[in-house]
Amino acid sequence: MKIDDAAARLEALGNSTRLKIYRALVRAGHTGMPVGRLQERLKIPASTLSHHVKALVSVGLISQVREGTTLVCHAEYDTMRSLVDFLVAECCAEETQCKGAQSAA
């Protein structure tokens, strides 16, 4: 993962409302969650939800699929794993005794 992509994703998650949205979708699993249910669960106006969902979609953390008349949001688990892997890839990289050290470059 490029550092600019990681920074954009972390910036998106740095907003508490977006983090709540993302966590709710991660908890929902692979089936995702309809936008209406997400709005009810988080108790936020539709326009606010739309704004934050758009930000998460733009950095690839979530996707949306239309199922009939319902718009369903899904967490992008591969992107999440890539971001977490990027964050831990250089753990102890400069520590000579760390056996699991790697470079993310």
Side-chain angles (χ1 to χ4, degrees):
M1 177 177 295
K2 295 179 182 176
I3 197 157
D4 289 341
D5 294 334
R9 290 173 179 142
L10 291 168
E11 181 180 1
L13 293 173
N15 176 280
S16 62
T17 301
R18 286 194 287 269
L19 187 55
K20 288 175 188 175
I21 292 167
Y22 191 67
R23 287 179 52 130
L25 293 175
V26 168
R27 289 178 57 105
H30 293 284
T31 58
M33 185 180 298
V35 171
R37 187 177 315 144
L38 190 55
Q39 180 187 359
E40 289 172 9
R41 178 163 295 171
L42 299 176
K43 296 176 179 39
I44 58 176
S47 60
T48 301
L49 178 62
S50 177
H51 166 76
H52 290 298
V53 164
K54 182 179 177 183
L56 292 168
V57 168
S58 73
V59 295
L61 287 169
I62 68 173
S63 62
Q64 292 181 301
V65 177
R66 184 157 301 278
E67 296 177 6
T69 60
T70 305
L71 192 57
V72 180
C73 295
H74 300 268
E76 289 295 326
Y77 292 100
D78 289 340
T79 304
M80 177 182 67
R81 285 185 196 98
S82 294
L83 181 58
V84 171
D85 289 347
F86 175 82
L87 292 172
V88 299
E90 294 192 31
C91 177
C92 306
E94 295 184 17
E95 185 177 323
T96 57
Q97 297 175 349
C98 185
K99 297 185 189 313
Q102 301 176 18
S103 175

